[in-house]
Amino acid sequence: MTFKKFLGQLHLILGLMTGLVVFIVSITGCIYAFEHEIQEISQPYRWVKEKGTQMLPPSKIKEIALEATDGMLVRRIYYEHPETSAIALHYADDAPYYYLTFIDQYTGEVLKVKNLEKDFFTIILYLHISLLLPYGKEIIGVSTLLFLVLLISGLYLWFPRNKNKKAVRQKFKIKWKASWRRQNYDLHSVLGFYACWILIFSAITGLVWSFEWFEKSYYYLLSGGDHLKKSELQSKVKEEASINTPMVDRVWQKVLADDPEILGITIYLPISPEEVITTYSSPDYGTYGRLDWRYFDQFTMEEYPALDFRGRHEDATVAQKIMKLNYDIHTGGILGLAGKFLMFFASLISASLPVTGFLLWRGRSKKKRQKSSHRQEKIYS
């Protein structure tokens, strides 16, 4: 067996194994590509008019959100933009709720309380990352790794061996006037070639979230040999310490004062005396590549340096900046709206590949059975 035939068999087997998962992940990726833009248009409670007055501090937003939800634990508070509502995220590991409360950050008016377990885009997101199954994340991780092998092997199989110019040109276009079998082959081969250059980046950035070993290896290669560390920071707990909510307000004010270009800031509220106050802020709206992550002791307000790539953007190395861009690369947001359209169409093609691939395999299997049947008829006739 030649290497090309072996690779063709491997490509077929891996495609049949991962086809359904790749289809689901790709379709949900298509739908989720414009989640940000669709929600901005369809959900008016996300927007407020900037009043020219000071925004309400996190402690006040937390107080309003607790009252609006009968005491549901607040874990994070988002100030995404001066003209968007503040958002309180409610969830607890041992509680059956997962809610968002939208609050006018200037007046304190509660605009919406949303149950995320019934939210369309939340369901799509969890389908995309876990198939809504207990071990779905692991299934998607393995399938994505195999899909990366499929993309690389497919690119090798596509590469024209024939030096004839006409044969080479045909590799780049779909022959619409041919039979449906040839059209199906071209849809799989030609569209797969064009999309694979985007899908390879999508698969790699997805694997960064799927496997810790992949994330560490990826960072090791990007940094030229540095090891990725994990930040495990703790506040210096005092005797009879209680969670210091006013300190959250002081941290929020400090972060805003330190950088006048900030458009949005998110606060992670500590729920135990050991936790630090974590914030991330950005001068951009809708992208996450230039996030500034900062960590503060909730009792002394001492700032701790990040041990991993989630630190101050201005202090980040090239490798750390690429790691920060992982989400924007994965969604195409790194190129703005044009990048999201590219990722949308690439995901659409990705969803079609298991279908066209299955039809190719089925057609060839049927053809082989027919040939085998004809041979048997000749032998016994």
Side-chain angles (χ1 to χ4, degrees):
M1 181 181 285
T2 65
F3 179 71
K4 186 178 179 182
K5 285 186 177 180
F6 166 76
L7 207 60
Q9 287 296 312
L10 179 67
H11 189 84
L12 169 64
I13 292 167
L14 295 183
L16 292 172
M17 286 172 58
T18 62
L20 182 58
V21 176
V22 169
F23 178 81
I24 293 171
V25 171
S26 300
I27 285 293
T28 52
C30 278
I31 297 169
Y32 203 76
F34 298 102
E35 169 258 353
H36 197 76
E37 290 76 11
I38 293 170
Q39 290 194 132
E40 284 182 347
I41 295 170
S42 62
Q43 299 173 356
Y45 49 81
R46 289 182 174 270
W47 297 97
V48 298
K49 291 183 179 180
E50 189 174 356
K51 304 294 191 299
T53 56
Q54 194 172 25
M55 293 182 290
L56 296 175
S59 60
K60 185 62 178 177
I61 296 294
K62 175 184 175 182
E63 180 186 323
I64 295 168
L66 287 171
E67 186 177 347
T69 58
D70 294 328
M72 289 185 185
L73 185 65
V74 179
R75 298 295 295 269
R76 296 178 210 164
I77 295 173
Y78 303 86
Y79 299 86
E80 295 185 327
H81 190 278
E83 296 182 356
T84 63
S85 52
I87 305 171
L89 173 64
H90 307 263
Y91 74 90
D93 296 333
D94 57 349
Y97 56 77
Y98 188 30
Y99 277 75
L100 290 178
T101 301
F102 296 83
I103 300 165
D104 188 314
Q105 59 192 13
Y106 301 103
T107 67
E109 178 187 358
V110 176
L111 304 173
K112 177 77 174 180
V113 177
K114 176 186 281 190
N115 183 354
L116 289 178
E117 291 182 347
K118 297 180 180 179
D119 176 62
F120 174 75
F121 281 110
T122 303
I123 294 169
I124 291 297
L125 174 62
Y126 278 92
L127 263 174
H128 186 75
I129 65 177
S130 70
L131 302 173
L132 300 178
L133 296 173
Y135 296 99
K137 186 178 178 181
E138 289 76 11
I139 294 170
I140 284 179
V142 172
S143 298
T144 304
L145 189 60
L146 296 178
F147 183 58
L148 184 59
V149 176
L150 276 167
L151 291 170
I152 296 168
S153 61
L155 191 59
Y156 180 87
L157 294 169
W158 171 91
F159 195 82
R161 271 69 179 172
N162 194 328
K163 301 295 184 180
N164 183 281
K165 288 184 178 179
K166 185 178 179 181
V168 172
R169 283 199 302 268
Q170 185 56 53
K171 286 283 186 177
F172 291 93
K173 61 183 182 179
I174 298 168
K175 200 171 182 180
W176 293 110
K177 293 183 179 179
S179 66
W180 77 267
R181 291 182 190 277
R182 178 53 194 251
Q183 288 179 22
N184 184 69
Y185 173 81
D186 285 348
L187 285 170
H188 187 81
S189 177
V190 178
L191 293 184
F193 166 75
Y194 286 123
C196 77
W197 302 102
I198 300 172
L199 294 174
I200 285 173
F201 286 104
S202 181
I204 290 171
T205 51
L207 286 168
V208 168
W209 296 316
S210 297
F211 300 112
E212 188 175 339
W213 65 263
F214 190 92
E215 182 186 27
K216 289 181 177 179
S217 303
Y218 182 60
Y219 182 77
Y220 185 84
L221 292 173
L222 288 175
S223 62
D226 287 345
H227 293 281
L228 182 65
K229 299 175 182 177
K230 292 292 183 182
S231 290
E232 295 181 356
L233 305 173
Q234 288 188 336
S235 292
K236 297 171 183 175
V237 184
K238 298 179 179 180
E239 290 184 13
E240 300 180 359
S242 60
I243 296 169
N244 197 333
T245 300
M247 191 67 79
V248 172
D249 293 350
R250 290 175 59 189
V251 165
W252 173 71
Q253 290 164 355
K254 175 176 173 52
V255 172
L256 290 176
D258 286 349
D259 188 356
E261 294 186 1
I262 287 176
L263 274 183
I265 177 171
T266 295
I267 316 288
Y268 286 63
L269 302 181
I271 59 172
S272 71
E274 293 81 16
E275 289 185 40
V276 296
I277 300 170
T278 301
T279 74
Y280 67 77
S281 57
S282 176
D284 304 315
Y285 176 64
T287 57
Y288 304 92
R290 293 204 290 164
L291 291 184
D292 254 357
W293 288 82
R294 302 179 69 175
Y295 308 88
F296 298 88
D297 189 292
Q298 64 167 296
F299 302 105
T300 66
M301 209 171 149
E302 178 186 352
E303 184 168 0
Y304 300 120
L307 299 178
D308 62 8
F309 62 89
R310 296 176 184 86
R312 301 296 297 271
H313 187 265
E314 61 183 19
D315 300 329
T317 64
V318 172
Q320 289 170 339
K321 286 179 179 178
I322 294 173
M323 293 295 286
K324 284 171 175 282
L325 283 166
N326 199 69
Y327 181 84
D328 292 339
I329 295 171
H330 188 74
T331 62
I334 190 172
L335 298 177
L337 197 58
K340 290 191 176 186
F341 272 108
L342 278 174
M343 192 58 72
F344 171 83
F345 287 115
S347 297
L348 200 59
I349 292 170
S350 177
S352 76
L353 293 177
V355 178
T356 52
F358 176 79
L359 292 174
L360 274 172
W361 169 74
R362 188 181 177 191
R364 288 172 181 172
S365 298
K366 188 176 180 181
K367 197 172 181 180
K368 284 180 182 178
R369 286 197 301 270
Q370 288 175 344
K371 283 184 179 180
S372 177
S373 178
H374 287 316
R375 286 198 196 99
Q376 289 180 357
E377 286 177 4
K378 285 182 180 179
I379 292 171
Y380 292 108
S381 61

